[in-house]
Amino acid sequence: KTLRHRRMVFVGDSMTRNLYYSVCRQLGMVDAGQYDATGPKHADFFNTIDDTSVDFKWAPLAIDQVATMKKLNNLAREMDLSKYDIVILGGGAWDRLHMFATDEDQESHRLTLTNLRKQMDSLRSFDTSVVWVTPTTINTPALNTEEKRDHMTEDDMADMRNVYTNLGILSSASFVIDGPAFTKDRVGESYDGVHYPHSIYDAGAQILANSLDWLLPKRNTDEPIKPLEPGSMSNPFLGLMMLCFCFIGLMFFDGFLGFSYVACLFVKGVLPSDLYTEAFTILHEKMKLPTVVASSSATAASFFTTATNKTGTVQSINSRVSRGSGSSAVDDEISALLGGNSGDLEMKSSR
């Protein structure tokens, strides 16, 4: 009930993405986060599970997180229908690995974190909860590249966590999920030094689930969701386009909204209007309906002629296409549709 008609988004690196996958699995998407070497890694994901929207936005660096938070603030400020109820934000590992080598990099990173804190405070002012996820424990011996062993050991990440704490990132969050709290006793299970099996992140997802009762504002689920006003999501240009398609379909006797005429570019002499004449002339005659007027390029007489043979007058159809060995079965079907017997209708194929 807490997440009914709610929108939540995860913003961050692969650690935050694994937490996102765990939340999706808890909501019923059993295949979320399954191992797939060919799937996209550094990409955004958008999922709707029942009536809950759960999205992920790839933002590994602090500067990326600032840019994403600005967009989320704009949605909240404009009361846009796509604004989120809760934002789960995490990072620090990529900044320590790629953006923390020199004094200039460290100073630039601190300024970025100050801006990030302001964006978090601004988003909370619009009644949107912001959850911060600190980086999980690093299994230093399992790090698989020289760069990571030089710049992203557990000691390095412990210093980075302190930087985020001292600059007010944690205090600006509505709630903090402490990554080391549910990983430090399982650090040996980190297969690449950074990431853990799914079951470890499930613990972090459960911590988040326990906090949702008070992170999200109360909503009376007994009251139905107020529907949008008629026309609030309309697009006049798209509506006009559909009316044009309908007009083309009606005026040109084409059930495919005019696209059947594309075939005329490849097959000469075949128009949807002619096919309409061929299909409905006999029916109109049988039901005593107004006569179908043929198009200028072909007349009903080109498809249907009346002939008299030695045994009497019969109605014959000169088909414009050759018939194969299955023509007798087709004749029986046409005769049945017209309400007659197969012996009363003689089909003559032009060969």
Side-chain angles (χ1 to χ4, degrees):
K1 290 184 178 180
T2 303
L3 291 178
R4 287 187 66 240
H5 306 292
R6 302 284 193 175
R7 290 177 53 81
M8 57 193 309
V9 61
F10 291 73
V11 179
D13 54 15
S14 56
M15 295 180 183
T16 310
R17 182 179 60 204
N18 285 332
L19 186 63
Y20 159 78
Y21 285 144
S22 289
V23 171
C24 290
R25 288 193 298 272
Q26 289 187 353
L27 292 176
M29 187 180 294
V30 295
D31 60 344
Q34 63 184 2
Y35 298 115
D36 183 3
T38 62
K41 294 181 179 179
H42 303 162
D44 298 345
F45 299 96
F46 303 92
N47 287 297
T48 299
I49 306 173
D50 293 332
D51 48 14
T52 302
S53 296
V54 190
D55 300 338
F56 171 78
K57 295 184 181 295
W58 174 253
L61 297 172
I63 191 171
D64 300 325
Q65 295 156 17
V66 170
T68 301
M69 291 293 286
K70 287 181 178 179
K71 295 178 181 178
L72 298 180
N73 267 294
N74 290 335
L75 292 177
R77 185 177 298 107
E78 297 170 2
M79 296 300 292
D80 193 280
L81 294 175
S82 61
K83 74 181 186 69
Y84 293 94
D85 298 294
I86 183 171
V87 177
I88 299 90
L89 181 67
W94 275 55
D95 293 282
R96 187 62 184 82
L97 182 62
H98 300 293
M99 307 293 293
F100 216 73
T102 65
D103 293 338
E104 291 79 8
D105 289 340
Q106 295 177 20
E107 181 62 26
S108 176
H109 182 252
R110 292 188 182 92
L111 293 176
T112 303
L113 291 184
T114 301
N115 196 0
L116 179 60
R117 177 175 55 80
K118 294 178 181 179
Q119 295 297 325
M120 294 170 65
D121 291 336
S122 175
L123 193 58
R124 289 185 62 187
S125 67
F126 295 110
D127 294 328
T128 299
S129 297
V130 179
V131 177
W132 177 258
V133 183
T134 60
T136 53
T137 306
I138 300 298
N139 185 9
T140 302
L143 292 173
N144 51 20
T145 67
E146 190 67 28
E147 184 183 17
K148 290 181 180 179
R149 289 190 289 269
D150 289 341
H151 301 288
M152 208 176 72
T153 65
E154 173 55 26
D155 291 337
D156 294 329
M157 289 308 301
D159 292 339
M160 181 61 76
R161 295 187 194 100
N162 290 332
V163 170
Y164 278 74
T165 300
N166 295 335
L167 291 177
I169 297 297
L170 275 64
S171 60
S172 294
S174 308
F175 182 70
V176 177
I177 299 178
D178 186 17
F182 63 88
T183 57
K184 63 181 180 180
D185 294 333
R186 310 289 292 274
V187 65
E189 298 182 36
S190 176
Y191 48 87
D192 62 356
V194 179
H195 305 102
Y196 288 81
H198 290 336
S199 59
I200 306 300
Y201 294 102
D202 290 343
Q206 187 59 53
I207 295 173
L208 174 63
N210 294 340
S211 67
L212 292 178
D213 285 336
W214 56 270
L215 280 178
L216 295 174
K218 297 294 182 180
R219 175 179 289 174
N220 187 356
T221 56
D222 295 332
E223 296 182 2
I225 300 299
K226 183 179 179 181
L228 298 176
E229 293 294 330
S232 60
M233 299 181 68
S234 63
N235 190 315
F237 297 103
L238 292 179
L240 180 61
M241 181 183 70
M242 292 307 302
L243 286 177
C244 291
F245 280 136
C246 292
F247 176 82
I248 293 173
L250 290 173
M251 295 297 103
F252 291 89
F253 303 98
D254 182 13
F256 293 94
L257 307 179
F259 288 101
S260 295
Y261 283 88
V262 178
C264 300
L265 299 176
F266 305 96
V267 181
K268 301 299 182 182
V270 178
L271 291 174
S273 56
D274 297 340
L275 298 178
Y276 170 85
T277 303
E278 181 178 2
F280 288 97
T281 296
I282 292 181
L283 178 63
H284 277 235
E285 291 178 357
K286 178 177 176 59
M287 303 302 297
K288 296 182 170 37
L289 296 174
T291 303
V292 175
V293 179
S295 66
S296 60
S297 61
T299 63
S302 65
F303 307 112
F304 309 100
T305 59
T306 303
T308 304
N309 59 13
K310 294 181 181 180
T311 59
T313 302
V314 297
Q315 187 174 5
S316 65
I317 303 176
N318 293 323
S319 175
R320 294 187 303 172
V321 295
S322 299
R323 299 186 180 273
S325 59
S327 60
S328 60
V330 176
D331 296 344
D332 293 340
E333 293 183 10
I334 295 177
S335 177
L337 290 173
L338 296 177
N341 298 321
S342 59
D344 297 335
L345 184 64
E346 179 180 354
M347 307 293 294
K348 294 184 178 180
S349 302
S350 59
R351 303 186 183 276

